[in-house]
């Protein structure tokens, strides 16, 4: 019996094709097995990983990673590592501090976002607040002798009239603003090139009086916070307003009126909370409790009052 080859190859010039699936490559091409996984009867690209930013001290242990959405549709990666809270600067591909203030090490943080504002707590330290939309890049390089900072055109309105900013781990103060220029600048420690990212310093002191939380969720225009010390209590803030969400979403004072803050006492300790979309396309705030039951925490606003219940 004569053997008849099914496919005869005379052209071996196709090389390695690393872009297409094995069943899509040409007969004269090869599939590299570097970074590949064997799955069933085929070869597919391994999932792998991507290094997100450099970290000067790789001995520090990170506990929390959070993707914070800001108004322009941009997402900023925020992480807690060691005693610091940092953000990934995609310009420098480096993790920079959002404040020089330090926090208790080894704790997991929980965050929530609204209209570019970031809120967070770890159950021990003060609540933090960050205006993520107050963000720009330097038009011109600055040195320790600089007394003004030129932001990108139209970005001056993103920043308050005075305050503290962070540029590449450098905490810098300014006392005034003229259009897109920050004035009365002091505290520049090192040179910063044009194009460096400028952010408003994270605030870790204003909301020091808030009850510490083990978990925070933003849901239906409110912040929901599970008490750290008494975890069967969940508090909800006032309804957010676009005028000053930085105050309404951290206002947990019970008043009883429409759109006001309040709290609920769960049948058992709340282990975790998560927002879910149900089968009929409605959303619920699910509370996973220690009694093995998942409850929906429902807050209802009437024209005169705000009531809540575990369902």
């Amino acid at each position: 019996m004569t053997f008849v080859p099914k496919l005869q190859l005379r052209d071996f010039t196709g090389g390695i094709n690393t872009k297409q699936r094995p069943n899509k490559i040409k007969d004269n091409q090869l599939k590299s097995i570097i970074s590949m996984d064997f799955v069933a009867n085929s070869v597919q690209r391994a999932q792998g990983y991507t290094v997100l930013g450099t970290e000067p001290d790789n001995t520090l242990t990170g506990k929390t990673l959070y993707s914070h959405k800001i108004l322009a549709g941009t997402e900023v990666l925020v992480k807690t590592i060691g005693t610091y809270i940092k953000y990934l600067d995609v310009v420098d591909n480096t993790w920079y501090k959002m404040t020089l203030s330090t926090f208790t090490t080894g704790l997991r943080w929980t965050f929530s976002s609204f209209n570019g504002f970031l809120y967070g707590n770890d159950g021990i330290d003060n609540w933090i607040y960050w205006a993520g939309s107050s963000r720009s890049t330097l038009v011109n390089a600055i040195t320790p002798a600089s007394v003004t900072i030129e932001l990108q055109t139209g970005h001056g309105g993103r920043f308050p009239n005075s305050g503290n900013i962070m540029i590449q781990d450098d905490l810098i103060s300014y006392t005034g603003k003229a259009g897109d220029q920050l004035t009365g600048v002091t505290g520049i420690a090192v040179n910063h090139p044009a194009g460096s990212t400028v952010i408003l310093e994270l605030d870790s002191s204003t909301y020091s009086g808030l009850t510490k939380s083990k978990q925070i969720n933003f849901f239906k225009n409110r912040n929901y916070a599970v008490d750290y010390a008494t975890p069967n209590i969940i508090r909800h803030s006032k309804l957010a307003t676009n005028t000053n969400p930085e105050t309404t979403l951290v206002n947990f004072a019970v008043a009883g009126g429409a759109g006001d803050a309040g709290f609920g006492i769960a049948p058992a300790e709340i282990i975790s909370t998560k927002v879910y979309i149900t089968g009929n396309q409605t959303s619920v705030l699910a509370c996973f409790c220690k009694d093995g039951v998942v409850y929906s925490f429902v807050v209802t606003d009437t024209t005169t009052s705000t009531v809540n219940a575990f369902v």
Side-chain angles (χ1 to χ4, degrees):
M1 181 176 178
T2 304
F3 173 75
V4 179
K6 188 174 181 180
L7 178 66
Q8 289 184 331
L9 292 180
R10 294 185 175 88
D11 178 8
F12 298 95
T13 61
I16 298 176
N17 186 332
T18 61
K19 296 182 179 180
Q20 293 177 301
R21 294 181 181 276
N23 61 345
K24 297 293 184 181
I25 66 175
K26 297 179 180 179
D27 292 336
N28 68 342
Q29 292 180 328
L30 298 174
K31 188 72 174 179
S32 172
I33 62 172
I34 299 175
S35 298
M36 304 299 294
D37 289 332
F38 290 93
V39 179
N41 293 322
S42 66
V43 178
Q44 68 180 28
R45 186 179 298 277
Q47 295 298 320
Y49 64 91
T50 300
V51 177
L52 297 174
T54 59
E55 182 61 56
D57 189 348
N58 59 12
T59 64
L60 297 176
T61 302
K63 290 294 183 181
T64 309
L65 184 67
Y66 181 77
S67 179
H68 173 54
K69 294 185 173 75
I70 61 175
L71 287 177
T74 303
E75 294 187 34
V76 179
L77 275 180
V78 176
K79 75 173 179 179
T80 62
I81 182 166
T83 58
Y84 294 103
I85 298 178
K86 299 185 178 184
Y87 78 101
L88 178 61
D89 182 354
V90 295
V91 176
D92 294 348
N93 193 34
T94 302
W95 291 95
Y96 288 128
K97 298 169 186 173
M98 301 172 74
T99 176
L100 297 186
S101 298
T102 56
F103 305 90
T104 305
T105 189
L107 298 180
R108 292 191 180 276
W109 282 72
T110 178
F111 299 98
S112 68
S113 300
F114 175 75
N115 268 17
F117 298 101
L118 175 72
Y119 308 87
N121 196 232
D122 62 1
I124 300 297
D125 297 297
N126 295 338
W127 276 62
I128 61 94
Y129 158 75
W130 182 55
S133 299
S134 298
R135 188 166 173 267
S136 185
T137 55
L138 295 177
V139 171
N140 304 311
I142 58 173
T143 70
S146 300
V147 294
T148 60
I149 290 177
E150 194 73 28
L151 305 175
Q152 296 298 321
T153 302
H155 290 188
R158 300 178 179 181
F159 291 79
N161 292 328
S162 62
N164 295 327
I165 56 175
M166 295 290 296
I167 303 177
Q168 298 172 324
D169 286 346
D170 202 0
L171 178 61
I172 301 166
S173 299
Y174 68 99
T175 58
K177 186 175 66 171
D180 297 320
Q181 187 179 78
L182 306 181
T183 60
V185 173
T186 57
I188 302 175
V190 296
N191 296 340
H192 299 284
S196 298
T197 301
V198 182
I199 65 168
L200 196 66
E201 184 195 17
L202 178 145
D203 183 342
S204 61
S205 60
T206 299
Y207 303 112
S208 59
L210 285 185
T211 301
K212 305 302 187 291
S213 173
K214 66 180 290 187
Q215 188 163 1
I216 307 168
N217 290 94
F218 178 78
F219 177 63
K220 291 188 175 180
N221 290 330
R222 278 187 163 99
N223 261 336
Y224 291 77
V226 178
D227 273 20
Y228 181 82
T230 314
N232 64 327
I233 294 179
I234 183 170
R235 304 180 187 275
H236 64 79
S237 71
K238 292 188 66 171
L239 277 171
T241 65
N242 287 324
T243 305
N244 54 350
E246 67 274 21
T247 57
T248 52
L249 283 176
V250 284
N251 186 342
F252 293 94
V254 179
D260 277 332
F263 68 91
I265 302 177
E269 177 183 336
I270 300 173
I271 303 300
S272 180
T273 58
K274 185 174 179 62
V275 176
Y276 279 103
I277 305 298
T278 65
N280 59 2
Q281 300 304 305
T282 59
S283 56
V284 298
L285 179 63
C287 298
F288 297 78
C289 292
K290 203 168 185 177
D291 61 2
V293 180
V294 181
Y295 300 91
S296 172
F297 185 58
V298 180
V299 177
T300 305
D301 292 294
T302 69
T303 56
T304 58
S305 65
T306 299
V307 296
N308 61 64
F310 285 93
V311 180

